[in-house]
Amino acid sequence: MSTVTVTQAELKDLIAAALVRHDTSAGNADLVAAALVAAETDGQKGHGASRVESYSAQSASGKVDGHAVPTCTKVAAAALRVDAGNGFSFPAIDLAVRELAALAPATGIAVAAIHRSHHAGQMGAHVERLAEAGLVALMVANTPKAMAPWGGSDGVFGTNPIAFAAPRGDLPPLVIDLSLSKVARGKILVASQKGEPIPDDWARGPDGRPTTDAKAALAGTLLPIGDAKGAALALMVEVLAAAVTGAALAGEAASFFTGEGDPPAVGQLIIAIDPGSLSGGLFAERLETLLGSMAAQDGVRLPGTRRLAAREAAARDGLTLPRAQYDQILGLAGRAGNQPET
């Protein structure tokens, strides 16, 4: 397969140009492009450059308001309600993270409920920012229907991801980021774009049977992690991310992948905790004792190890994209023909 290698800065500029060309404001395009490049850098390709085509289509059609300016209202002493304005999620999440980082140290714990939002992308990156500010953070999000309740056959839940981060002083934060389906839908999207098969335990096709066809999987339903337990967790996230925020339920939300339809209007909930005050100053010691007991065992690696290695590699070697994907982004940005050496 032919590939192209670009720097992180070059890819960010190219993605931002594609979004601006498809009716996204320069400020919003910059935040969205930064998030997609960060995901690509961390090896989360399902949340990276593979999203440029669908994001551009949605902004161009008005399904996503590329010019939306999020607003934040303080609804209680430690509670914020953020309206994403049916725009991309990243400006709203950026606003929520900044407000929580300022509020949580004073209140001990603070929460932000985001509604009228869109695809939250690589959520680990959002909670990581709060951990870098010394806070423990938890984030949940709902997504368009992709998973059936356990024992059912019709989609009711999205992949409904959960992300968690904790500060570690001078060390990189502990970051955990996972979807409640066996695999994030973005990975199936990438397989579909490449024409590659998927494992037969990831999804069911529209006929309700296991499938290795990525396109059939996107039209069908995903399987939850942990079977019935994973489906129960997805229900929990749906309540927190949609009911608590006043957002659209997964079954009501339009697709993140096409330019047609109404705005998805999904929700995200972010909780930030000041661990120092709540632990009586013991948080750092307790966390490091826990992580040390894990690291002392042969074969155990802490979550996030691969992510940090991928960042080092990207900074050193650049980012490698399939030639077809790179050419597509060039075309979306109106720069076809301006191609680097392979």
Side-chain angles (χ1 to χ4, degrees), residues 42-124:
D42 287 356
Q44 297 295 323
K45 292 183 177 295
H47 297 308
S50 64
R51 296 277 177 167
V52 179
E53 180 185 21
S54 60
Y55 276 21
S56 297
Q58 290 173 75
S59 185
S61 71
K63 182 176 183 176
V64 173
D65 181 355
H67 297 265
V69 177
T71 59
C72 180
T73 304
K74 194 173 184 181
V75 295
L80 308 171
R81 182 165 167 78
V82 178
D83 183 355
N86 286 326
F88 289 110
S89 72
F90 303 112
I93 293 171
D94 179 68
L95 174 60
V97 166
R98 286 187 282 112
E99 294 290 334
L100 287 172
L103 183 59
T107 59
I109 184 170
V111 60
I114 304 172
H115 69 118
R116 295 209 299 165
S117 193
H118 191 258
H119 175 235
Q122 180 193 207
M123 295 203 321

Side-chain angles (χ1 to χ4, degrees), residues 134-136 164-168 275-276 279-288:
L135 302 170
V136 171
F164 170 87
R168 298 189 66 196
S279 68
L282 296 175
F283 171 76
E285 184 275 328
R286 295 286 76 200
L287 176 63
E288 292 308 318

Side-chain angles (χ1 to χ4, degrees), residues 272-324:
I273 301 167
D274 177 8
S277 60
L278 290 177
S279 68
L282 296 175
F283 171 76
E285 184 275 328
R286 295 286 76 200
L287 176 63
E288 292 308 318
T289 297
L290 170 63
L291 298 182
S293 69
M294 294 171 60
Q297 299 185 42
D298 290 340
V300 174
R301 63 174 181 83
L302 296 180
T305 303
R306 290 177 182 171
R307 182 187 77 254
L308 296 175
R311 287 181 186 177
E312 291 181 6
R316 181 185 65 246
D317 304 325
L319 297 169
T320 299
L321 305 179
R323 165 66 71 175

